[in-house]
Amino acid sequence: MTITEEEIRPQHIFDEYLRLAKEDIQEYFVGAVCEEVLCPACGAKGEHAFRKSHFDYETCPDCKTLYVSPRPAAELFSKYYTQGKASEYWATTFYKETAEARREKLWKPKAQLIHSILERFSANDFSIVDIGGGYGIFAEEIAKLLKNEVTVIEPGTHLAEACRSKSLNVVEKFLENVVVGDLPNGAKAFVSFELFEHLYDPATFLENLFEVMGSSDLFIFTTLSGTGIDIQALWEDSKSVSPPHHLNFLNPHSAELLLQRLGFKVVEITTPGKLDIDILYNNASLIKDRFWSNFVAMASDDMKAQWQELLASSGWSSHMMIVCQKP
Ligand SMILES: [Zn+2]
């Protein structure tokens, strides 16, 4: 199945979302006291990369993680996400307009992909715990493929309600407040999609998760890889680099470092992305690199598809998927 950026993230809707986010930044973040943070993956001191929409990004000289530093206080992010105009627009207009396209193009394939990974570990032994499950579309789709129950951890009141109306098990909490008793018994596969890049403190998130995981439980998650081609070639003009949302761009190498440091066993890190070249094509005038600039101008659709496959299979797409386990 082919997939384009326009189908799952229509430009006019996405642009309006980014416009509202800019207004919210003025309201919540401009003038806030900021604190310098070290590389969220390896702890090294970063080097300034660029400034975008009042946020400074640094890159780690050691592991190449791209991240926001200094950072305004965590409470401001909570406020932004619960009260901001952009978040409301995302939860209403964006979801409504794209829900069915995203179900078909994103969530069904993702459910199949997760199912195929779980099959290697005997799929039906696991119940699924979806952290930040949103509207529960992935949960609905994976529930069709598995025997065991599916639980959604979702702190947002409206989203949690939407999941309950679909008869999903819902834990209406932030992960840091979840206790083992909130979760189903037996082997669990925790999943989270496009959440990690938003986290204020990725290491603390992983430590909290580790606490509630049982031995041999899995954690499968997707996040943006900062060494992915569209992010590298567009850099500060990449729409994925969108403060205040995306604070951490790890990469296959730095994600492995972080997970191992915290005691996880890394099973595999892949970049099964499909959109990098399409994103470059849609942002051709912003590409910083001559090769990619000429490539998107001249390559045939077949060539683009070939390169997309190569990027994905060799770990250089910006869409990263990680499978790890608590030993
Ligand atoms: Zn680092």
Side-chain angles (χ1 to χ4, degrees), residues 13-280:
I13 295 180
F14 198 52
D15 285 346
E16 173 64 5
Y17 169 66
L18 295 178
R19 192 187 67 76
L20 290 171
K22 271 191 186 151
E23 289 186 12
D24 285 345
I25 287 173
Q26 286 292 340
E27 173 146 5
Y28 295 101
F29 296 104
V30 169
V33 179
C34 292
E35 221 168 277
E36 197 179 325
V37 298
L38 298 171
C39 169
C42 77
K45 186 171 166 39
E47 293 164 352
H48 189 260
F50 53 80
R51 183 172 174 82
K52 183 173 186 180
S53 310
H54 303 280
F55 285 78
D56 288 295
Y57 281 80
E58 294 187 348
T59 46
C60 173
D62 294 345
C63 74
K64 308 302 174 198
T65 294
L66 173 69
Y67 60 98
V68 168
S69 177
R71 291 187 185 185
E75 299 79 61
L76 295 177
F77 287 90
S78 307
K79 232 176 165 182
Y80 168 83
Y81 279 114
T82 50
Q83 299 167 18
K85 284 177 289 201
S87 296
E88 194 194 337
Y89 184 79
W90 185 266
T92 54
T93 309
F94 182 89
Y95 261 101
K96 239 180 254 159
E97 305 246 343
T98 61
E100 283 317 302
R102 289 168 79 86
R103 179 190 294 276
E104 292 303 317
K105 297 278 179 172
L106 279 186
W107 296 119
K108 278 189 180 173
K110 200 157 260 170
Q112 276 155 5
L113 183 61
I114 298 297
H115 184 250
S116 71
I117 291 168
L118 290 177
E119 276 189 319
R120 290 193 250 144
F121 300 84
S122 56
N124 282 314
D125 293 350
F126 290 94
S127 43
I128 300 285
V129 181
D130 186 358
I131 306 167
Y135 277 88
I137 300 177
F138 170 80
E140 283 182 293
E141 293 302 323
I142 193 79
K144 292 175 190 165
L145 303 174
L146 287 173
K147 283 194 199 129
N148 275 347
E149 59 183 319
V150 179
T151 302
V152 174
I153 297 177
E154 176 50 63
T157 314
H158 297 298
L159 296 171
E161 190 50 49
C163 289
R164 271 192 291 269
S165 74
K166 294 172 177 175
S167 308
L168 295 163
N169 301 327
V170 182
V171 179
E172 192 177 328
K173 291 181 178 180
F174 283 99
L175 178 71
E176 68 227 50
N177 302 320
V178 172
V179 294
V180 174
D182 292 325
L183 302 171
N185 294 322
K188 287 172 279 297
F190 294 80
V191 298
S192 89
F193 303 109
E194 278 74 66
L195 174 71
F196 205 76
E197 58 269 34
H198 296 254
L199 296 173
Y200 193 80
D201 185 347
T204 301
F205 172 88
L206 289 170
E207 282 164 354
N208 290 333
L209 176 60
F210 200 86
E211 278 292 299
V212 295
M213 287 174 84
S215 177
S216 301
D217 281 356
L218 295 169
F219 177 41
I220 306 173
F221 65 108
T222 58
T223 185
L224 291 162
S225 167
T227 53
I229 185 61
D230 59 303
I231 292 173
Q232 287 282 306
L234 296 167
W235 209 223
E236 72 268 29
D237 290 317
S238 164
K239 284 185 189 170
S240 294
V241 180
S242 63
H245 311 113
H246 295 167
L247 306 178
N248 321 292
F249 297 80
L250 277 69
N251 56 62
H253 167 65
S254 69
E256 183 170 16
L257 289 178
L258 174 62
L259 288 162
Q260 284 177 344
R261 176 160 65 87
L262 298 176
F264 287 87
K265 177 186 165 203
V266 177
V267 177
E268 68 178 19
I269 300 181
T270 54
T271 59
K274 293 182 167 26
L275 291 175
D276 308 65
I277 300 287
D278 191 48
I279 290 169
L280 287 182

